[in-house]
Amino acid sequence: MSGAKAVREDRLWQRHADMARLGGTPKGGVNRQALSDEDAAARNLLASWAKARGFSMFTDAIGNLFVRREGADANALPVMSGSHMDSQPTGGRFDGMYGVLAAFEALEALEDAGVKTKRPVVAVAWTNEEGSRFQPGAMGSAVFAGYYKLDDMLLAKDWDGVVLKDALASTLEAAPAPLRDGKPGFALDGYVEAHIEQGPRLENERKTIGVVTGIQGSRRYIVTTEGEEAHAGTTPRAARKDAFAAATRIAAAMYEATADADDTLRFTIGRVEVQPGSPNTVPGKASFTIDMRHPSNAVLEAHEAKLKDIVAKKAAPCAAAIERVTNVAPTDFDPKVIDLVRAKADALKLTNMDMPSGAGHDAMHIAKLCPAGMIFVPCERGISHNEAENATPADLAAGARVLVEVLEELANR
Ligand code: HGY
Ligand code: MN
Ligand code: MN
Ligand code: MN
């Protein structure tokens, strides 16, 4: 029997339902932020399933969780598949989780089909892909790929000042898997990640499989303005150093500058903080995040220069600073992996189309280490980073069937 035939739609769907309870929200989404108790519970549930199947598992020093199915040649470099289990604060049940569960389903299907691969096949749950609690995002995969230094990431703080190192310690102490010693990262022969598209193209074009060609570039900044706290009733306009007024001038100018750019530029201000946050005190400090995406690094570079120019011109009489917290160049996936994903989708008679990814994924870092690619499945109305995120059991299983066929081929090369 082939791995694809052994994929079970009901089992995959049930596993999503089991995971959706961990951090489940009344609106049917999930709030399972990186290294939270809910995230720890999801890791433990995955580990219990892995244990029941006799797969070995371990975590590395940034908390990435690996589940390994042995191959005939234990020394051969493994092929790997996975994604993330952490979610946005008002996230959906499929973003990230689908890639982890499709990878685990692939291991189970290979096992059920009695398929012996030459190479080990590893399923992975990367730490902190979302970057909504701790920045930068795609942290676990970036540390694994040597893109960020482990020691720097351990010092990251969330918005309440919690240090990542402490959140990681409490997450791992609950983890049944033996904490793997030493530096994160081991050599790989190939990596394929399954994910919902998080956009409307597959649904609009009635295709089941997205053959992902690459991921656009992404940069994230925190702009901070500093003025002077003062009485809202007595301080004359000329004497004010209103930090929020300065922040809004900068934000308004950036919205305008990016609106004039080509329509593929994505510009988002997702989080704003004002201090002291009292209605009758002129804000002394303000900060806001900027998330900018584009397929061309030159366009991102040009808009970073615009941001610097606007801050220099618009902040006065306040001071202002720009901290760049993420800068990931556009990623092109490996042509051989792209062709293999397309060939396996065709062989399974699944409609498919080549497409780039607008969203960032862990694969953008692992593509630095080995031949990598991604498989997309549709999500309802393209909605994601939203509790209404939805997908169908049939599409999820179709993606897992392509995945197991691709992994089997890569693991026998
Ligand atoms: O932001 C992203 O692109 C990813 O969904 N975390
Ligand atoms: Mn994701
Ligand atoms: Mn996401
Ligand atoms: Mn007063």
Side-chain angles (χ1 to χ4, degrees):
M1 178 201 276
S2 75
K5 282 227 175 16
V7 165
R8 285 189 32 208
E9 178 179 316
D10 59 336
R11 174 171 65 187
L12 183 57
W13 187 251
Q14 185 54 50
R15 293 225 190 279
H16 278 87
D18 295 342
M19 283 287 186
R21 274 197 285 277
L22 306 176
T25 61
K27 288 190 193 167
V30 288
N31 178 7
R32 188 171 51 234
Q33 297 189 59
L35 302 176
S36 61
D37 293 346
E38 298 76 15
D39 189 17
R43 290 155 175 267
N44 297 347
L45 183 55
L46 180 66
S48 69
W49 293 338
K51 190 158 180 264
R53 291 293 322 222
F55 298 138
S56 60
M57 68 189 116
F58 50 93
T59 51
D60 67 13
I62 190 74
N64 297 316
L65 174 54
F66 303 94
V67 177
R68 178 177 160 120
R69 178 177 187 262
E70 289 310 330
D73 177 356
N75 300 319
L77 293 186
V79 292
M80 187 143 85
S81 178
S83 192
H84 59 95
M85 300 199 285
D86 66 298
S87 80
Q88 288 285 323
T90 53
R93 292 174 292 141
F94 303 96
D95 174 2
M97 185 54 80
Y98 170 56
V100 173
L101 295 182
F104 190 75
E105 178 64 30
L107 263 56
E108 292 205 273
L110 290 171
E111 198 75 3
D112 295 345
V115 170
K116 201 79 196 122
T117 55
K118 175 185 135 197
R119 300 176 181 284
V121 181
V122 176
V124 59
W126 298 111
T127 296
N128 185 29
E129 188 277 346
E130 290 293 359
S132 49
R133 179 185 180 194
F134 295 102
Q135 299 191 88
M139 185 189 278
S141 51
V143 168
F144 183 89
Y147 191 66
Y148 298 141
K149 285 204 184 67
L150 170 67
D151 293 345
D152 295 345
M153 295 301 114
L154 293 175
L155 298 176
K157 285 193 180 135
D158 72 6
W159 306 100
D160 302 323
V162 173
V163 181
L164 187 135
K165 190 164 180 282
D166 300 335
L168 177 61
S170 54
T171 298
L172 290 183
E173 131 200 323
L179 182 60
R180 180 182 163 130
D181 58 10
K183 288 196 298 97
F186 48 85
L188 284 176
D189 191 69
Y191 176 79
V192 185
E193 178 168 349
H195 207 287
I196 54 169
E197 177 198 342
Q198 298 180 294
R201 288 192 57 197
L202 287 173
E203 188 178 69
N204 292 345
E205 310 207 17
R206 298 185 191 292
K207 305 280 185 195
T208 305
I209 300 293
V211 181
V212 189
T213 52
I215 299 178
Q216 67 177 342
S218 58
R219 297 192 185 192
R220 192 183 295 183
Y221 309 86
I222 297 179
V223 177
T224 307
T225 53
E226 296 242 14
E228 186 179 39
E229 292 175 9
H231 196 297
T234 57
T235 313
R237 190 176 307 166
R240 287 179 178 226
K241 291 184 180 173
D242 183 333
F244 183 61
T248 50
R249 287 194 297 274
I250 294 165
M254 276 306 287
Y255 278 123
E256 212 174 300
T258 51
D260 297 346
D262 78 75
D263 184 36
T264 50
L265 180 68
R266 300 282 175 266
F267 176 85
T268 309
I269 294 178
R271 185 186 178 98
V272 179
E273 290 191 85
V274 182
Q275 289 168 14
S278 158
N280 50 352
T281 296
V282 174
K285 196 168 174 195
S287 69
F288 61 93
T289 58
I290 289 178
D291 178 311
M292 214 150 53
R293 319 266 179 120
H294 196 274
S296 147
N297 226 17
V299 170
L300 290 171
E301 199 60 35
H303 282 85
E304 179 169 307
K306 267 200 187 126
L307 172 61
K308 287 176 184 162
D309 184 43
I310 285 170
V311 166
K313 287 192 180 116
K314 300 275 184 187
C318 296
I322 304 169
E323 183 196 353
R324 190 173 71 186
V325 289
T326 303
N327 175 13
V328 183
T331 302
D332 292 323
F333 285 137
D334 182 280
K336 287 194 293 303
V337 177
I338 294 169
D339 292 346
L340 183 57
V341 169
R342 191 184 313 108
K344 294 301 181 187
D346 286 339
L348 289 166
K349 301 197 179 3
L350 295 167
T351 53
N352 62 84
M353 58 186 258
D354 286 20
M355 61 190 295
S357 174
H361 299 286
D362 293 300
M364 63 197 175
H365 290 305
I366 309 307
K368 299 177 179 78
L369 293 181
C370 65
M374 288 189 75
I375 300 166
F376 275 170
V377 295
C379 57
E380 199 175 300
R381 293 186 300 120
I383 299 278
S384 184
H385 285 196
N386 181 313
E387 292 165 282
E389 183 184 273
N390 197 17
T392 68
D395 287 344
L396 299 179
R401 289 195 182 94
V402 175
L403 178 65
V404 72
E405 292 296 306
V406 168
L407 289 174
E408 186 180 341
E409 174 116 356
L410 290 176
N412 285 327
R413 277 190 182 167

